[in-house]
Amino acid sequence: QVQLVQSGGGLVHPGGSLRLSCVGSGRTFSGITMGWFRQAPGKEREFVAYISISGRTTLYTESVRGRFTISRDNAKNTVYLQMDSLKPEDTAVYYCAAECLGTYYSTSYSYWGQGTQVTVSS
């Protein structure tokens, strides 16, 4: 079992930045792949970013590439999503996910965080 607790998020103006954190507990965090997803009102949950166990491989959805950065600190059992140059269309509830069971961009992860709201508005 892995428990994921998220923090960060909030309201930011367009062009601003936010950092989301996701702390894992339970199983050995350093041996699990991690991802970030988001869900806007009335839409399906969509893939945002993925990071491998070592952290050497990172993958992003096209709409956030170059603006968002996923990283992990295995010593702190934490994965981060640094979000820069935020746009109104980035507004959504963001979820961290652990242990990818299928393709990295699908929702087939074993464990999910509680979600945190990110609102980009002037």
Side-chain angles (χ1 to χ4, degrees):
Q1 284 288 343
V2 174
Q3 293 76 43
L4 302 174
V5 178
Q6 298 179 220
S7 61
L11 173 64
V12 65
H13 293 311
S17 297
L18 284 173
R19 188 176 80 159
L20 305 182
S21 299
C22 175
V23 179
S25 62
R27 278 176 50 191
T28 303
F29 182 84
S30 61
I32 302 176
T33 52
M34 299 293 297
W36 285 97
F37 288 74
R38 65 187 180 186
Q39 188 166 17
K43 295 187 177 181
E44 293 186 352
R45 192 169 299 187
E46 65 171 0
F47 167 76
V48 175
Y50 163 91
I51 189 165
S52 63
I53 291 172
S54 68
R56 285 194 288 268
T57 298
T58 57
L59 300 165
Y60 301 91
T61 191
E62 180 63 33
S63 62
V64 309
R65 193 172 295 123
R67 300 188 298 120
F68 289 12
T69 303
I70 187 171
S71 62
R72 65 190 299 162
D73 185 337
N74 287 338
K76 296 182 178 180
N77 289 350
T78 302
V79 65
Y80 304 97
L81 185 67
Q82 176 66 41
M83 304 183 293
D84 299 318
S85 302
L86 281 160
K87 304 176 181 180
E89 51 264 43
D90 294 317
T91 296
V93 177
Y94 283 70
Y95 297 89
C96 64
E99 191 175 63
C100 178
L101 300 176
T103 52
Y104 67 88
Y105 52 82
S106 75
T107 57
S108 56
Y109 285 68
S110 296
Y111 308 101
W112 292 85
Q114 81 276 18
T116 187
Q117 178 69 46
V118 171
T119 302
V120 185
S121 175
S122 54

